[in-house]
Amino acid sequence: MKTHSTLRLVLLAGCAMACPLPAHAASYLAQGQAAIATGDLRTAQIDLRNAVKDAPRDAAAHFYLAQVDRQFGDAAGAEKEARAARDLGYDPRAATGLLLRAYLEQGKNRELLQDFPAEGAAPELAGEILAARGLAEQALGHADAAQADVTRALAADPHGVSPLLASAQLASAHNDAAGARKALDAALAIDPHSADALLRKGELLSATRDTAAAITTLDAAVAAAPADYSIRLARAGVYVATGQDVPAKADVDATLKQLPGSAMAIYLQAVLFTRAQDYKAANADLQRLSPVIGRFPGAYFFQAVVKDHLGEDAEAVDAARKYAARNPGDARGAELLATIELKAKRPAAAIEALQKFLAAGGTATAGVYELLGNAYNLTGQPGLAAQNYQQAVKLAPDNPALLSRLGASRLAAGDPNAAVGDLQRSVALDPKAAGSGPMLVVAALAAGDLDAAARELAVLRQQQGASVEVLGLSGTLQLARLDLAGAREDFLAVLHQQPNDTAAVLNLA
């Protein structure tokens, strides 16, 4: 039994009516089928409803309308139409398979087991029914019964696609990627154009990070079922995950044109708006999703980003905390929450969030340790800040900004000798690293190495000329050398450029 939404043209052989269709009904049916083939669900639904209205005893019209209703998320309507198609004599296997899918999509698992007993089914339907029963048992948590039904389905219909798809679904539920792939490959060997099998395989390839193969497989699935927008959304999800926003937007736009209420499409559009920094549009989409936002694993993350940029602090923190609580081992979520807390001047809360992440066994990143260092600095604990910056530097040894912060924290913690080494590495990596040059002069002075301070000051003078910063450091160096006249000259030069410089006034005094 197909486990994913698929629309395909099915031959009408075997479902001929006792009487020919009225002309209008036949025209509506043909137009509806043509609309399905081009992915135009809205037109298809209108035409097929008219076909059913004009020819209520036409099984094909009911069958195709059931397929379209499923695409619109109306599983109950699909059940009604699929049952009518089956009872009116449509291809029993296709109609029963569609009816079973409608049951599963409504969560009517117990009803399915009751209405479709395993015993007594026609041979051509046994595989479909047993496969569906297996999925219903799985949904009810009956793992052994599920496996038994699927095994019987495979035996009853060894050349059927539906039992293999059910087998792949059970394997995936048990994290058996190899078993799932084997079943899907077998299904595609039977029907290379099975959109359901192609969709499942594309999702499996994406989960194993074989992105190129996943997209190629999903391309084939879209070609096989152009009106199945779950496939387009699966492909859009792969594009989004790999930063390919332009093709992702094309799939999302196509879906929303036909299914404007699709929650998944709205969510992906919100992600794309966030990346494009259109935070108002992203916020509007996320607000539309508010009743179901918890169903999307990353939604609270993007909501936190959006609310933060819109200046809605309370909402940003709330969303970031929800994301972190649901994903305690995700460094990205911990970093976002800590960043928002620091921005709101709540360093203690930032420390708590990051420590929870580490306690949960999350893999620490340089960003996590850097944020901890920043938070400890803000709470007046430079020693702890230096410890965390040191951990960050181990993970990102060539980051001059981290080395600069490590040096500054060590200097503040009273370890100027170690600070000099950190700051020298920072300047070597980036001579213009913010603050590293001046701090290197200060660290050398604090370490009592006046010659080193003079050398670093000379380098800084070449970069900045006679700036206020250079003159202030020069005056401090002259004081350390007990060259009072030279110090006085430097501090007066500072006040000439910046008359209200308090430090220069105090040093001059």
Side-chain angles (χ1 to χ4, degrees):
M1 189 207 69
K2 300 181 180 70
T3 57
H4 280 278
S5 157
T6 303
L7 292 180
R8 64 188 55 181
L9 295 178
V10 177
L11 295 176
L12 298 181
C15 61
M17 305 303 299
C19 301
L21 278 175
H24 287 302
S27 175
Y28 283 133
L29 176 58
Q31 291 171 12
Q33 291 173 313
I36 289 174
T38 61
D40 187 352
L41 289 175
R42 291 184 176 185
T43 298
Q45 188 178 59
I46 292 170
D47 285 331
L48 291 168
R49 282 178 175 173
N50 285 329
V52 166
K53 180 180 179 182
D54 286 358
R57 302 289 301 170
D58 183 63
H62 286 286
F63 179 79
Y64 285 106
L65 181 56
Q67 288 188 322
V68 172
D69 283 347
R70 285 186 64 239
Q71 287 298 307
F72 279 104
D74 183 8
E79 178 190 342
K80 174 186 172 184
E81 299 300 335
R83 180 175 284 109
R86 181 198 62 179
D87 294 346
L88 289 168
Y90 196 78
D91 174 17
R93 184 165 184 160
T96 301
L98 184 54
L99 180 57
L100 290 166
R101 288 193 291 276
Y103 268 70
L104 291 171
E105 288 173 3
Q106 295 176 83
K108 295 174 68 171
N109 300 300
R110 297 186 188 281
E111 293 88 340
L112 187 152
L113 296 174
Q114 178 180 334
D115 296 347
F116 297 88
E119 307 301 332
E124 69 272 16
L125 299 180
E128 293 283 339
I129 290 173
L130 286 166
R133 286 180 63 88
L135 296 178
E137 295 281 18
Q138 179 196 28
L140 293 170
H142 306 155
D144 291 341
Q147 189 60 62
D149 279 338
V150 171
T151 299
R152 292 176 63 194
L154 291 166
D157 190 6
H159 302 295
V161 170
S162 295
L164 288 165
L165 291 177
S167 178
Q169 186 163 330
L170 291 189
S172 294
H174 292 91
N175 297 316
D176 181 6
R181 183 159 187 167
K182 181 179 178 181
L184 292 171
D185 286 342
L188 289 169
I190 294 169
D191 181 3
H193 302 294
S194 168
D196 291 320
L198 288 166
L199 171 56
R200 271 300 178 87
K201 187 169 182 180
E203 291 174 333
L204 182 62
L205 290 166
S206 175
T208 56
R209 301 182 186 278
D210 192 349
T211 303
I215 290 175
T216 299
T217 304
L218 292 170
D219 287 345
V222 170
D228 187 341
Y229 287 91
S230 67
I231 301 173
R232 294 178 189 267
L233 290 177
R235 187 171 64 180
V238 178
Y239 283 136
V240 167
T242 54
Q244 302 180 66
D245 289 2
V246 173
K249 184 177 185 301
D251 276 339
V252 170
D253 288 348
T255 302
L256 288 173
K257 182 177 180 180
Q258 294 296 323
L259 304 172
S262 168
M264 176 58 78
I266 294 169
Y267 167 65
L268 290 174
Q269 180 173 256
V271 173
L272 294 172
F273 277 138
T274 304
R275 287 183 175 176
Q277 299 182 9
D278 188 347
Y279 300 113
K280 288 185 178 180
N283 188 51
D285 277 342
L286 291 169
Q287 286 179 336
R288 289 178 64 191
L289 291 176
S290 57
V292 295
I293 194 168
R295 297 180 188 175
F296 301 96
Y300 285 122
F301 178 89
F302 290 102
Q303 186 179 49
V305 172
V306 168
K307 295 296 186 182
D308 182 48
H309 279 90
L310 292 176
E312 299 178 24
D313 177 65
E315 292 83 355
V317 170
D318 180 63
R321 287 175 178 170
K322 286 178 178 176
Y323 182 81
R326 287 164 173 76
N327 303 274
D330 187 345
R332 187 180 62 155
E335 290 179 21
L336 176 62
L337 176 55
T339 299
I340 293 173
E341 296 285 18
L342 288 175
K343 188 175 179 180
K345 296 182 170 45
R346 293 189 291 263
I351 292 170
E352 180 184 1
L354 294 167
Q355 286 178 337
K356 279 184 179 179
F357 163 74
L358 293 173
T363 301
T365 63
V368 167
Y369 285 122
E370 180 181 8
L371 286 165
L372 271 171
N374 295 346
Y376 279 122
N377 265 332
L378 289 172
T379 57
Q381 302 178 78
L384 288 174
Q387 290 177 22
N388 283 281
Y389 287 136
Q390 188 171 14
Q391 293 298 319
V393 167
K394 287 180 180 179
L395 295 171
D398 297 327
N399 186 318
L402 281 177
L403 286 163
S404 179
R405 290 180 182 179
L406 174 58
S409 295
R410 281 178 162 164
L411 184 60
D415 189 0
N417 291 313
V420 168
D422 297 324
L423 295 167
Q424 285 176 335
R425 286 173 60 198
S426 175
V427 171
L429 288 167
D430 181 6
K432 296 182 180 179
S436 293
M439 278 192 292
L440 190 51
V441 178
V442 174
L445 286 169
D449 191 342
L450 302 187
D451 290 340
R455 288 195 300 271
E456 299 301 337
L457 182 60
V459 172
L460 198 62
R461 194 183 294 273
Q462 287 180 345
Q463 295 174 352
Q464 298 185 12
S467 67
V468 167
E469 186 172 47
V470 167
L471 290 168
L473 290 170
S474 178
T476 303
L477 175 60
Q478 304 309 330
L479 274 178
R481 287 174 166 171
L482 301 180
D483 182 357
L484 301 184
R488 184 172 186 275
E489 182 179 348
D490 286 331
F491 294 136
L492 285 172
V494 170
L495 292 173
H496 180 72
Q497 293 187 41
Q498 200 164 297
N500 297 321
D501 190 308
T502 304
V505 171
L506 291 175
N507 284 327
L508 186 58

